[in-house]
Amino acid sequence: DAKTTQPPSMDCAEGRAANLPCNHSTISGNEYVYWYRQIHSQGPQYIIHGLKNNETNEMASLIITEDRKSSTLILPHATLRDTAVYYCIVRARSYSGGGADGLTFGKGTHLIIQP
Amino acid sequence: DSGVTQTPKHLITATGQRVTLRCSPRSGDLSVYWYQQSLDQGLQFLIQYYNGEERAKGNILERFSAQQFPDLHSELNLSSLELGDSALYFCASSVTGTGTDTQYFGPGTRLTVL
């Protein structure tokens, strides 16, 4: 799986949009971008994933650049409960139909929502 | 709530002992993954099972073993425990266990080795 680079920490004011960047310049064509978050020692929570088109769900939006070398996770109206470590993970599709290794978590971005 | 359950929530034991952590996957999920999160190593993949069979191994120590039972629940066995095994242990599950299958994590078991 391709390596990702994220800023170690970010602040955002409550009610504003939080934009979390991720660089994955070595991503290959069959690799997806996944985002998870972990709120203070709880289990990681799946947020969203995408291949090349922008994606949106009830939690967030994922914007992937046209060259796919970077992406941004957008939390549209951040609340204090969004304070967490956010992980950007690049994940290959397994065309063989066989097994998959586990997710490779980096250090992520510690997002702090300020009241 | 992800639908993945783990027991116990907390476990305190002594060095040299053996413990068993239990995980029940989401309904319909056939694959189970185990992860360890320690302060110095971050979140690390240990092992994956699919429908009762071992599918992939990560950084799992030889002192650790796992299995997945016919009802699809899984157990992680940790033996000859050392102080450094103190960590959060998470279980995740997914439907098919293939590369782009989304994994859903349980709440974790906090293991403290004294």
Side-chain angles (χ1 to χ4, degrees), chain A residues 32 34 36 38 41-44 46 91-94 98-103 105, chain B residues 35 37 43 45 48 55-56 88 90 97-103 105-107 110:
Chain A
Y32 283 70
Y34 275 77
Y36 281 79
Q38 187 175 25
S41 299
Q42 296 179 22
Y46 165 76
R91 190 100 178 96
R93 179 195 298 273
S94 177
D101 292 343
L103 297 170
F105 288 85
Chain B
Y35 292 81
Q37 186 174 33
L43 260 163
F45 166 65
Q48 177 197 6
R55 168 96 28 118
L88 279 164
F90 293 105
T98 55
T100 54
D101 209 17
T102 298
Q103 295 179 32
F105 284 76
R110 182 177 292 278

PDB file of all heavy atoms in Angstrom, chain A residues 32 34 36 38 41-44 46 91-94 98-103 105, chain B residues 35 37 43 45 48 55-56 88 90 97-103 105-107 110:
ATOM      1  N   TYR A  32      -7.355   2.641  -3.251  1.00  0.00           N
ATOM      2  CA  TYR A  32      -8.377   3.514  -2.718  1.00  0.00           C
ATOM      3  C   TYR A  32      -7.794   4.352  -1.580  1.00  0.00           C
ATOM      4  O   TYR A  32      -6.845   3.942  -0.910  1.00  0.00           O
ATOM      5  CB  TYR A  32      -9.538   2.687  -2.163  1.00  0.00           C
ATOM      6  CG  TYR A  32     -10.458   2.114  -3.213  1.00  0.00           C
ATOM      7  CD1 TYR A  32     -10.036   1.094  -4.060  1.00  0.00           C
ATOM      8  CD2 TYR A  32     -11.761   2.574  -3.334  1.00  0.00           C
ATOM      9  CE1 TYR A  32     -10.881   0.562  -5.012  1.00  0.00           C
ATOM     10  CE2 TYR A  32     -12.617   2.045  -4.283  1.00  0.00           C
ATOM     11  CZ  TYR A  32     -12.173   1.048  -5.118  1.00  0.00           C
ATOM     12  OH  TYR A  32     -13.017   0.526  -6.057  1.00  0.00           O
ATOM     13  N   TYR A  34      -8.798   5.700   2.080  1.00  0.00           N
ATOM     14  CA  TYR A  34      -9.722   5.493   3.195  1.00  0.00           C
ATOM     15  C   TYR A  34      -9.417   6.509   4.295  1.00  0.00           C
ATOM     16  O   TYR A  34      -8.260   6.860   4.521  1.00  0.00           O
ATOM     17  CB  TYR A  34      -9.543   4.095   3.792  1.00  0.00           C
ATOM     18  CG  TYR A  34     -10.312   3.009   3.107  1.00  0.00           C
ATOM     19  CD1 TYR A  34      -9.879   2.477   1.895  1.00  0.00           C
ATOM     20  CD2 TYR A  34     -11.472   2.493   3.674  1.00  0.00           C
ATOM     21  CE1 TYR A  34     -10.587   1.470   1.264  1.00  0.00           C
ATOM     22  CE2 TYR A  34     -12.189   1.481   3.045  1.00  0.00           C
ATOM     23  CZ  TYR A  34     -11.747   0.982   1.843  1.00  0.00           C
ATOM     24  OH  TYR A  34     -12.451  -0.018   1.234  1.00  0.00           O
ATOM     25  N   TYR A  36     -10.233   7.005   8.469  1.00  0.00           N
ATOM     26  CA  TYR A  36     -10.757   6.551   9.747  1.00  0.00           C
ATOM     27  C   TYR A  36     -10.435   7.628  10.778  1.00  0.00           C
ATOM     28  O   TYR A  36      -9.535   8.430  10.596  1.00  0.00           O
ATOM     29  CB  TYR A  36     -10.088   5.250  10.195  1.00  0.00           C
ATOM     30  CG  TYR A  36     -10.593   3.999   9.536  1.00  0.00           C
ATOM     31  CD1 TYR A  36     -10.184   3.655   8.249  1.00  0.00           C
ATOM     32  CD2 TYR A  36     -11.466   3.148  10.199  1.00  0.00           C
ATOM     33  CE1 TYR A  36     -10.658   2.497   7.636  1.00  0.00           C
ATOM     34  CE2 TYR A  36     -11.937   1.975   9.600  1.00  0.00           C
ATOM     35  CZ  TYR A  36     -11.521   1.673   8.324  1.00  0.00           C
ATOM     36  OH  TYR A  36     -11.986   0.516   7.720  1.00  0.00           O
ATOM     37  N   GLN A  38     -10.100   8.114  15.286  1.00  0.00           N
ATOM     38  CA  GLN A  38     -10.089   7.466  16.584  1.00  0.00           C
ATOM     39  C   GLN A  38     -10.265   8.531  17.652  1.00  0.00           C
ATOM     40  O   GLN A  38      -9.417   9.428  17.781  1.00  0.00           O
ATOM     41  CB  GLN A  38      -8.799   6.680  16.804  1.00  0.00           C
ATOM     42  CG  GLN A  38      -8.824   5.861  18.086  1.00  0.00           C
ATOM     43  CD  GLN A  38      -7.601   4.992  18.253  1.00  0.00           C
ATOM     44  OE1 GLN A  38      -6.535   5.286  17.713  1.00  0.00           O
ATOM     45  NE2 GLN A  38      -7.741   3.905  18.992  1.00  0.00           N
ATOM     46  N   SER A  41      -8.804   6.707  22.367  1.00  0.00           N
ATOM     47  CA  SER A  41      -8.669   5.294  22.749  1.00  0.00           C
ATOM     48  C   SER A  41      -9.902   4.445  22.442  1.00  0.00           C
ATOM     49  O   SER A  41      -9.934   3.277  22.815  1.00  0.00           O
ATOM     50  CB  SER A  41      -8.316   5.152  24.229  1.00  0.00           C
ATOM     51  OG  SER A  41      -7.091   5.764  24.495  1.00  0.00           O
ATOM     52  N   GLN A  42     -10.886   5.009  21.771  1.00  0.00           N
ATOM     53  CA  GLN A  42     -11.983   4.173  21.298  1.00  0.00           C
ATOM     54  C   GLN A  42     -11.525   3.429  20.039  1.00  0.00           C
ATOM     55  O   GLN A  42     -10.458   3.707  19.498  1.00  0.00           O
ATOM     56  CB  GLN A  42     -13.209   5.029  20.971  1.00  0.00           C
ATOM     57  CG  GLN A  42     -13.809   5.734  22.169  1.00  0.00           C
ATOM     58  CD  GLN A  42     -14.999   6.595  21.775  1.00  0.00           C
ATOM     59  OE1 GLN A  42     -15.631   6.376  20.745  1.00  0.00           O
ATOM     60  NE2 GLN A  42     -15.321   7.577  22.598  1.00  0.00           N
ATOM     61  N   GLY A  43     -12.326   2.492  19.569  1.00  0.00           N
ATOM     62  CA  GLY A  43     -11.985   1.808  18.335  1.00  0.00           C
ATOM     63  C   GLY A  43     -12.020   2.757  17.154  1.00  0.00           C
ATOM     64  O   GLY A  43     -12.857   3.657  17.103  1.00  0.00           O
ATOM     65  N   PRO A  44     -11.112   2.597  16.202  1.00  0.00           N
ATOM     66  CA  PRO A  44     -11.154   3.444  15.000  1.00  0.00           C
ATOM     67  C   PRO A  44     -12.512   3.352  14.329  1.00  0.00           C
ATOM     68  O   PRO A  44     -13.111   2.284  14.260  1.00  0.00           O
ATOM     69  CB  PRO A  44     -10.044   2.843  14.124  1.00  0.00           C
ATOM     70  CG  PRO A  44      -9.090   2.228  15.094  1.00  0.00           C
ATOM     71  CD  PRO A  44      -9.949   1.696  16.194  1.00  0.00           C
ATOM     72  N   TYR A  46     -14.706   4.106  10.907  1.00  0.00           N
ATOM     73  CA  TYR A  46     -14.674   4.340   9.464  1.00  0.00           C
ATOM     74  C   TYR A  46     -15.419   5.625   9.140  1.00  0.00           C
ATOM     75  O   TYR A  46     -16.505   5.885   9.688  1.00  0.00           O
ATOM     76  CB  TYR A  46     -15.319   3.166   8.728  1.00  0.00           C
ATOM     77  CG  TYR A  46     -15.655   3.442   7.284  1.00  0.00           C
ATOM     78  CD1 TYR A  46     -14.659   3.464   6.313  1.00  0.00           C
ATOM     79  CD2 TYR A  46     -16.965   3.699   6.907  1.00  0.00           C
ATOM     80  CE1 TYR A  46     -14.973   3.724   4.990  1.00  0.00           C
ATOM     81  CE2 TYR A  46     -17.279   3.968   5.594  1.00  0.00           C
ATOM     82  CZ  TYR A  46     -16.286   3.979   4.631  1.00  0.00           C
ATOM     83  OH  TYR A  46     -16.592   4.245   3.325  1.00  0.00           O
ATOM     84  N   ARG A  91      -5.225   1.951   0.224  1.00  0.00           N
ATOM     85  CA  ARG A  91      -5.533   0.525   0.316  1.00  0.00           C
ATOM     86  C   ARG A  91      -5.713  -0.036  -1.088  1.00  0.00           C
ATOM     87  O   ARG A  91      -6.537   0.444  -1.854  1.00  0.00           O
ATOM     88  CB  ARG A  91      -6.836   0.377   1.066  1.00  0.00           C
ATOM     89  CG  ARG A  91      -7.171  -1.013   1.441  1.00  0.00           C
ATOM     90  CD  ARG A  91      -6.802  -1.229   2.886  1.00  0.00           C
ATOM     91  NE  ARG A  91      -7.172  -2.596   3.254  1.00  0.00           N
ATOM     92  CZ  ARG A  91      -6.326  -3.584   3.229  1.00  0.00           C
ATOM     93  NH1 ARG A  91      -5.083  -3.358   2.891  1.00  0.00           N
ATOM     94  NH2 ARG A  91      -6.703  -4.801   3.554  1.00  0.00           N
ATOM     95  N   ALA A  92      -4.992  -1.117  -1.393  1.00  0.00           N
ATOM     96  CA  ALA A  92      -5.081  -1.706  -2.721  1.00  0.00           C
ATOM     97  C   ALA A  92      -6.262  -2.661  -2.817  1.00  0.00           C
ATOM     98  O   ALA A  92      -6.604  -3.343  -1.866  1.00  0.00           O
ATOM     99  CB  ALA A  92      -3.796  -2.446  -3.054  1.00  0.00           C
ATOM    100  N   ARG A  93      -6.826  -2.689  -3.981  1.00  0.00           N
ATOM    101  CA  ARG A  93      -7.845  -3.696  -4.267  1.00  0.00           C
ATOM    102  C   ARG A  93      -7.140  -5.020  -4.446  1.00  0.00           C
ATOM    103  O   ARG A  93      -6.044  -5.098  -4.960  1.00  0.00           O
ATOM    104  CB  ARG A  93      -8.566  -3.343  -5.563  1.00  0.00           C
ATOM    105  CG  ARG A  93      -9.644  -4.336  -5.984  1.00  0.00           C
ATOM    106  CD  ARG A  93     -10.043  -4.100  -7.432  1.00  0.00           C
ATOM    107  NE  ARG A  93     -10.605  -2.783  -7.638  1.00  0.00           N
ATOM    108  CZ  ARG A  93     -11.877  -2.485  -7.475  1.00  0.00           C
ATOM    109  NH1 ARG A  93     -12.716  -3.412  -7.097  1.00  0.00           N
ATOM    110  NH2 ARG A  93     -12.317  -1.266  -7.702  1.00  0.00           N
ATOM    111  N   SER A  94      -7.760  -6.102  -4.027  1.00  0.00           N
ATOM    112  CA  SER A  94      -7.150  -7.424  -4.152  1.00  0.00           C
ATOM    113  C   SER A  94      -7.793  -8.136  -5.312  1.00  0.00           C
ATOM    114  O   SER A  94      -8.804  -8.789  -5.170  1.00  0.00           O
ATOM    115  CB  SER A  94      -7.352  -8.214  -2.858  1.00  0.00           C
ATOM    116  OG  SER A  94      -6.844  -9.508  -2.985  1.00  0.00           O
ATOM    117  N   GLY A  98      -8.059 -13.059  -3.225  1.00  0.00           N
ATOM    118  CA  GLY A  98      -7.531 -13.696  -2.029  1.00  0.00           C
ATOM    119  C   GLY A  98      -7.486 -12.746  -0.860  1.00  0.00           C
ATOM    120  O   GLY A  98      -8.164 -11.748  -0.838  1.00  0.00           O
ATOM    121  N   GLY A  99      -6.623 -13.055   0.058  1.00  0.00           N
ATOM    122  CA  GLY A  99      -6.652 -12.361   1.335  1.00  0.00           C
ATOM    123  C   GLY A  99      -6.168 -10.934   1.297  1.00  0.00           C
ATOM    124  O   GLY A  99      -5.586 -10.479   0.334  1.00  0.00           O
ATOM    125  N   ALA A 100      -6.386 -10.246   2.357  1.00  0.00           N
ATOM    126  CA  ALA A 100      -5.958  -8.854   2.464  1.00  0.00           C
ATOM    127  C   ALA A 100      -5.243  -8.688   3.783  1.00  0.00           C
ATOM    128  O   ALA A 100      -5.673  -9.220   4.789  1.00  0.00           O
ATOM    129  CB  ALA A 100      -7.150  -7.920   2.405  1.00  0.00           C
ATOM    130  N   ASP A 101      -4.139  -7.979   3.762  1.00  0.00           N
ATOM    131  CA  ASP A 101      -3.481  -7.646   5.009  1.00  0.00           C
ATOM    132  C   ASP A 101      -4.305  -6.620   5.756  1.00  0.00           C
ATOM    133  O   ASP A 101      -5.230  -6.028   5.225  1.00  0.00           O
ATOM    134  CB  ASP A 101      -2.089  -7.077   4.729  1.00  0.00           C
ATOM    135  CG  ASP A 101      -1.156  -8.121   4.178  1.00  0.00           C
ATOM    136  OD1 ASP A 101      -1.457  -9.312   4.313  1.00  0.00           O
ATOM    137  OD2 ASP A 101      -0.137  -7.739   3.600  1.00  0.00           O
ATOM    138  N   GLY A 102      -3.907  -6.382   6.973  1.00  0.00           N
ATOM    139  CA  GLY A 102      -4.606  -5.379   7.741  1.00  0.00           C
ATOM    140  C   GLY A 102      -4.318  -3.983   7.255  1.00  0.00           C
ATOM    141  O   GLY A 102      -3.473  -3.756   6.407  1.00  0.00           O
ATOM    142  N   LEU A 103      -5.047  -3.040   7.809  1.00  0.00           N
ATOM    143  CA  LEU A 103      -4.819  -1.641   7.490  1.00  0.00           C
ATOM    144  C   LEU A 103      -3.496  -1.178   8.092  1.00  0.00           C
ATOM    145  O   LEU A 103      -3.125  -1.598   9.180  1.00  0.00           O
ATOM    146  CB  LEU A 103      -5.966  -0.799   8.054  1.00  0.00           C
ATOM    147  CG  LEU A 103      -7.349  -1.100   7.473  1.00  0.00           C
ATOM    148  CD1 LEU A 103      -8.416  -0.382   8.275  1.00  0.00           C
ATOM    149  CD2 LEU A 103      -7.407  -0.707   6.012  1.00  0.00           C
ATOM    150  N   PHE A 105      -1.828   1.865   9.630  1.00  0.00           N
ATOM    151  CA  PHE A 105      -2.099   3.169  10.231  1.00  0.00           C
ATOM    152  C   PHE A 105      -0.796   3.915  10.441  1.00  0.00           C
ATOM    153  O   PHE A 105       0.142   3.374  11.003  1.00  0.00           O
ATOM    154  CB  PHE A 105      -2.800   3.005  11.592  1.00  0.00           C
ATOM    155  CG  PHE A 105      -4.222   2.550  11.511  1.00  0.00           C
ATOM    156  CD1 PHE A 105      -4.516   1.195  11.417  1.00  0.00           C
ATOM    157  CD2 PHE A 105      -5.270   3.461  11.536  1.00  0.00           C
ATOM    158  CE1 PHE A 105      -5.835   0.767  11.347  1.00  0.00           C
ATOM    159  CE2 PHE A 105      -6.584   3.035  11.467  1.00  0.00           C
ATOM    160  CZ  PHE A 105      -6.864   1.688  11.369  1.00  0.00           C
TER     161      PHE A 105
ATOM    162  N   TYR B  35      -5.812  -6.139  15.964  1.00  0.00           N
ATOM    163  CA  TYR B  35      -4.819  -5.064  15.975  1.00  0.00           C
ATOM    164  C   TYR B  35      -4.374  -4.807  17.411  1.00  0.00           C
ATOM    165  O   TYR B  35      -5.134  -4.997  18.356  1.00  0.00           O
ATOM    166  CB  TYR B  35      -5.415  -3.761  15.424  1.00  0.00           C
ATOM    167  CG  TYR B  35      -5.741  -3.763  13.963  1.00  0.00           C
ATOM    168  CD1 TYR B  35      -6.917  -4.338  13.489  1.00  0.00           C
ATOM    169  CD2 TYR B  35      -4.886  -3.176  13.034  1.00  0.00           C
ATOM    170  CE1 TYR B  35      -7.231  -4.325  12.145  1.00  0.00           C
ATOM    171  CE2 TYR B  35      -5.186  -3.156  11.683  1.00  0.00           C
ATOM    172  CZ  TYR B  35      -6.364  -3.735  11.251  1.00  0.00           C
ATOM    173  OH  TYR B  35      -6.660  -3.714   9.908  1.00  0.00           O
ATOM    174  N   GLN B  37      -2.597  -1.705  19.781  1.00  0.00           N
ATOM    175  CA  GLN B  37      -2.210  -0.292  19.843  1.00  0.00           C
ATOM    176  C   GLN B  37      -1.480  -0.017  21.153  1.00  0.00           C
ATOM    177  O   GLN B  37      -2.069  -0.023  22.224  1.00  0.00           O
ATOM    178  CB  GLN B  37      -3.417   0.626  19.721  1.00  0.00           C
ATOM    179  CG  GLN B  37      -3.026   2.111  19.636  1.00  0.00           C
ATOM    180  CD  GLN B  37      -4.223   2.991  19.359  1.00  0.00           C
ATOM    181  OE1 GLN B  37      -5.341   2.712  19.798  1.00  0.00           O
ATOM    182  NE2 GLN B  37      -4.015   4.069  18.619  1.00  0.00           N
ATOM    183  N   LEU B  43      -1.003   1.857  16.060  1.00  0.00           N
ATOM    184  CA  LEU B  43      -1.921   0.774  15.703  1.00  0.00           C
ATOM    185  C   LEU B  43      -1.242  -0.177  14.729  1.00  0.00           C
ATOM    186  O   LEU B  43      -0.847   0.224  13.639  1.00  0.00           O
ATOM    187  CB  LEU B  43      -3.167   1.346  15.033  1.00  0.00           C
ATOM    188  CG  LEU B  43      -4.403   1.505  15.874  1.00  0.00           C
ATOM    189  CD1 LEU B  43      -5.387   2.439  15.202  1.00  0.00           C
ATOM    190  CD2 LEU B  43      -5.058   0.156  16.120  1.00  0.00           C
ATOM    191  N   PHE B  45      -1.390  -4.070  12.782  1.00  0.00           N
ATOM    192  CA  PHE B  45      -2.142  -5.255  12.410  1.00  0.00           C
ATOM    193  C   PHE B  45      -1.444  -6.509  12.912  1.00  0.00           C
ATOM    194  O   PHE B  45      -0.228  -6.655  12.761  1.00  0.00           O
ATOM    195  CB  PHE B  45      -2.271  -5.282  10.887  1.00  0.00           C
ATOM    196  CG  PHE B  45      -2.737  -6.596  10.310  1.00  0.00           C
ATOM    197  CD1 PHE B  45      -4.013  -7.066  10.583  1.00  0.00           C
ATOM    198  CD2 PHE B  45      -1.898  -7.344   9.508  1.00  0.00           C
ATOM    199  CE1 PHE B  45      -4.446  -8.261  10.051  1.00  0.00           C
ATOM    200  CE2 PHE B  45      -2.313  -8.540   8.967  1.00  0.00           C
ATOM    201  CZ  PHE B  45      -3.590  -9.010   9.244  1.00  0.00           C
ATOM    202  N   GLN B  48      -5.352 -11.878  10.551  1.00  0.00           N
ATOM    203  CA  GLN B  48      -6.682 -11.879   9.953  1.00  0.00           C
ATOM    204  C   GLN B  48      -7.169 -13.306   9.768  1.00  0.00           C
ATOM    205  O   GLN B  48      -6.405 -14.194   9.369  1.00  0.00           O
ATOM    206  CB  GLN B  48      -6.664 -11.201   8.584  1.00  0.00           C
ATOM    207  CG  GLN B  48      -8.005 -11.223   7.859  1.00  0.00           C
ATOM    208  CD  GLN B  48      -7.913 -10.932   6.376  1.00  0.00           C
ATOM    209  OE1 GLN B  48      -6.821 -10.803   5.831  1.00  0.00           O
ATOM    210  NE2 GLN B  48      -9.049 -10.828   5.704  1.00  0.00           N
ATOM    211  N   ARG B  55      -5.909 -15.962   7.264  1.00  0.00           N
ATOM    212  CA  ARG B  55      -5.796 -15.384   5.929  1.00  0.00           C
ATOM    213  C   ARG B  55      -4.510 -14.568   5.775  1.00  0.00           C
ATOM    214  O   ARG B  55      -3.868 -14.615   4.752  1.00  0.00           O
ATOM    215  CB  ARG B  55      -7.009 -14.512   5.658  1.00  0.00           C
ATOM    216  CG  ARG B  55      -6.924 -13.632   4.466  1.00  0.00           C
ATOM    217  CD  ARG B  55      -7.512 -14.049   3.166  1.00  0.00           C
ATOM    218  NE  ARG B  55      -8.583 -14.892   2.953  1.00  0.00           N
ATOM    219  CZ  ARG B  55      -9.719 -14.531   2.367  1.00  0.00           C
ATOM    220  NH1 ARG B  55      -9.927 -13.271   2.094  1.00  0.00           N
ATOM    221  NH2 ARG B  55     -10.654 -15.403   2.087  1.00  0.00           N
ATOM    222  N   ALA B  56      -4.141 -13.815   6.777  1.00  0.00           N
ATOM    223  CA  ALA B  56      -2.947 -12.971   6.678  1.00  0.00           C
ATOM    224  C   ALA B  56      -2.367 -12.731   8.058  1.00  0.00           C
ATOM    225  O   ALA B  56      -3.089 -12.706   9.048  1.00  0.00           O
ATOM    226  CB  ALA B  56      -3.273 -11.633   6.018  1.00  0.00           C
ATOM    227  N   LEU B  88      -3.827  -1.563  24.023  1.00  0.00           N
ATOM    228  CA  LEU B  88      -5.217  -1.741  23.597  1.00  0.00           C
ATOM    229  C   LEU B  88      -5.232  -2.758  22.464  1.00  0.00           C
ATOM    230  O   LEU B  88      -4.410  -2.675  21.536  1.00  0.00           O
ATOM    231  CB  LEU B  88      -5.791  -0.424  23.081  1.00  0.00           C
ATOM    232  CG  LEU B  88      -6.289   0.577  24.112  1.00  0.00           C
ATOM    233  CD1 LEU B  88      -6.448   1.951  23.491  1.00  0.00           C
ATOM    234  CD2 LEU B  88      -7.588   0.120  24.730  1.00  0.00           C
ATOM    235  N   PHE B  90      -7.625  -4.277  19.526  1.00  0.00           N
ATOM    236  CA  PHE B  90      -8.864  -4.068  18.794  1.00  0.00           C
ATOM    237  C   PHE B  90      -9.115  -5.223  17.844  1.00  0.00           C
ATOM    238  O   PHE B  90      -8.195  -5.768  17.228  1.00  0.00           O
ATOM    239  CB  PHE B  90      -8.806  -2.767  17.978  1.00  0.00           C
ATOM    240  CG  PHE B  90      -8.763  -1.522  18.802  1.00  0.00           C
ATOM    241  CD1 PHE B  90      -7.584  -0.808  18.946  1.00  0.00           C
ATOM    242  CD2 PHE B  90      -9.902  -1.056  19.430  1.00  0.00           C
ATOM    243  CE1 PHE B  90      -7.535   0.351  19.706  1.00  0.00           C
ATOM    244  CE2 PHE B  90      -9.866   0.102  20.199  1.00  0.00           C
ATOM    245  CZ  PHE B  90      -8.680   0.805  20.332  1.00  0.00           C
ATOM    246  N   GLY B  97     -13.317  -9.792   3.580  1.00  0.00           N
ATOM    247  CA  GLY B  97     -11.888  -9.846   3.884  1.00  0.00           C
ATOM    248  C   GLY B  97     -10.989  -9.529   2.715  1.00  0.00           C
ATOM    249  O   GLY B  97      -9.788  -9.745   2.775  1.00  0.00           O
ATOM    250  N   THR B  98     -11.533  -9.020   1.634  1.00  0.00           N
ATOM    251  CA  THR B  98     -10.691  -8.662   0.495  1.00  0.00           C
ATOM    252  C   THR B  98     -10.237  -7.214   0.603  1.00  0.00           C
ATOM    253  O   THR B  98     -10.694  -6.479   1.463  1.00  0.00           O
ATOM    254  CB  THR B  98     -11.436  -8.870  -0.831  1.00  0.00           C
ATOM    255  OG1 THR B  98     -12.656  -8.124  -0.784  1.00  0.00           O
ATOM    256  CG2 THR B  98     -11.746 -10.328  -1.066  1.00  0.00           C
ATOM    257  N   GLY B  99      -9.349  -6.812  -0.300  1.00  0.00           N
ATOM    258  CA  GLY B  99      -8.598  -5.570  -0.147  1.00  0.00           C
ATOM    259  C   GLY B  99      -9.396  -4.315   0.145  1.00  0.00           C
ATOM    260  O   GLY B  99      -9.037  -3.541   1.017  1.00  0.00           O
ATOM    261  N   THR B 100     -10.492  -4.110  -0.569  1.00  0.00           N
ATOM    262  CA  THR B 100     -11.201  -2.842  -0.380  1.00  0.00           C
ATOM    263  C   THR B 100     -12.457  -3.006   0.465  1.00  0.00           C
ATOM    264  O   THR B 100     -13.323  -2.150   0.475  1.00  0.00           O
ATOM    265  CB  THR B 100     -11.574  -2.234  -1.735  1.00  0.00           C
ATOM    266  OG1 THR B 100     -12.297  -3.210  -2.484  1.00  0.00           O
ATOM    267  CG2 THR B 100     -10.335  -1.815  -2.497  1.00  0.00           C
ATOM    268  N   ASP B 101     -12.523  -4.095   1.166  1.00  0.00           N
ATOM    269  CA  ASP B 101     -13.627  -4.338   2.070  1.00  0.00           C
ATOM    270  C   ASP B 101     -13.471  -3.434   3.290  1.00  0.00           C
ATOM    271  O   ASP B 101     -12.412  -3.432   3.911  1.00  0.00           O
ATOM    272  CB  ASP B 101     -13.554  -5.807   2.476  1.00  0.00           C
ATOM    273  CG  ASP B 101     -14.884  -6.390   2.804  1.00  0.00           C
ATOM    274  OD1 ASP B 101     -15.901  -5.798   2.427  1.00  0.00           O
ATOM    275  OD2 ASP B 101     -14.900  -7.450   3.447  1.00  0.00           O
ATOM    276  N   THR B 102     -14.484  -2.687   3.645  1.00  0.00           N
ATOM    277  CA  THR B 102     -14.376  -1.782   4.787  1.00  0.00           C
ATOM    278  C   THR B 102     -14.340  -2.573   6.086  1.00  0.00           C
ATOM    279  O   THR B 102     -15.150  -3.482   6.289  1.00  0.00           O
ATOM    280  CB  THR B 102     -15.558  -0.806   4.803  1.00  0.00           C
ATOM    281  OG1 THR B 102     -15.516  -0.023   3.612  1.00  0.00           O
ATOM    282  CG2 THR B 102     -15.493   0.116   6.015  1.00  0.00           C
ATOM    283  N   GLN B 103     -13.388  -2.211   6.937  1.00  0.00           N
ATOM    284  CA  GLN B 103     -13.268  -2.855   8.237  1.00  0.00           C
ATOM    285  C   GLN B 103     -13.946  -1.990   9.293  1.00  0.00           C
ATOM    286  O   GLN B 103     -13.741  -0.777   9.333  1.00  0.00           O
ATOM    287  CB  GLN B 103     -11.792  -3.049   8.592  1.00  0.00           C
ATOM    288  CG  GLN B 103     -11.071  -4.009   7.663  1.00  0.00           C
ATOM    289  CD  GLN B 103      -9.619  -4.174   8.008  1.00  0.00           C
ATOM    290  OE1 GLN B 103      -9.230  -4.089   9.172  1.00  0.00           O
ATOM    291  NE2 GLN B 103      -8.796  -4.423   7.014  1.00  0.00           N
ATOM    292  N   PHE B 105     -14.435  -1.520  13.422  1.00  0.00           N
ATOM    293  CA  PHE B 105     -13.693  -1.855  14.633  1.00  0.00           C
ATOM    294  C   PHE B 105     -14.591  -1.945  15.862  1.00  0.00           C
ATOM    295  O   PHE B 105     -15.568  -1.210  15.993  1.00  0.00           O
ATOM    296  CB  PHE B 105     -12.621  -0.795  14.897  1.00  0.00           C
ATOM    297  CG  PHE B 105     -11.425  -0.908  13.993  1.00  0.00           C
ATOM    298  CD1 PHE B 105     -11.499  -0.484  12.676  1.00  0.00           C
ATOM    299  CD2 PHE B 105     -10.239  -1.454  14.458  1.00  0.00           C
ATOM    300  CE1 PHE B 105     -10.399  -0.597  11.838  1.00  0.00           C
ATOM    301  CE2 PHE B 105      -9.137  -1.561  13.633  1.00  0.00           C
ATOM    302  CZ  PHE B 105      -9.217  -1.138  12.310  1.00  0.00           C
ATOM    303  N   GLY B 106     -14.188  -2.832  16.761  1.00  0.00           N
ATOM    304  CA  GLY B 106     -14.835  -2.915  18.049  1.00  0.00           C
ATOM    305  C   GLY B 106     -14.267  -1.895  19.022  1.00  0.00           C
ATOM    306  O   GLY B 106     -13.343  -1.155  18.685  1.00  0.00           O
ATOM    307  N   PRO B 107     -14.802  -1.873  20.251  1.00  0.00           N
ATOM    308  CA  PRO B 107     -14.388  -0.868  21.240  1.00  0.00           C
ATOM    309  C   PRO B 107     -13.049  -1.156  21.892  1.00  0.00           C
ATOM    310  O   PRO B 107     -12.492  -0.289  22.557  1.00  0.00           O
ATOM    311  CB  PRO B 107     -15.510  -0.912  22.275  1.00  0.00           C
ATOM    312  CG  PRO B 107     -16.039  -2.298  22.155  1.00  0.00           C
ATOM    313  CD  PRO B 107     -15.913  -2.687  20.721  1.00  0.00           C
ATOM    314  N   ARG B 110      -8.556  -3.258  26.886  1.00  0.00           N
ATOM    315  CA  ARG B 110      -7.330  -2.665  27.432  1.00  0.00           C
ATOM    316  C   ARG B 110      -6.663  -3.678  28.333  1.00  0.00           C
ATOM    317  O   ARG B 110      -7.227  -4.080  29.352  1.00  0.00           O
ATOM    318  CB  ARG B 110      -7.628  -1.398  28.217  1.00  0.00           C
ATOM    319  CG  ARG B 110      -6.358  -0.728  28.772  1.00  0.00           C
ATOM    320  CD  ARG B 110      -6.675   0.561  29.496  1.00  0.00           C
ATOM    321  NE  ARG B 110      -7.143   1.606  28.602  1.00  0.00           N
ATOM    322  CZ  ARG B 110      -6.364   2.388  27.878  1.00  0.00           C
ATOM    323  NH1 ARG B 110      -5.041   2.240  27.920  1.00  0.00           N
ATOM    324  NH2 ARG B 110      -6.880   3.329  27.113  1.00  0.00           N
TER     325      ARG B 110
END
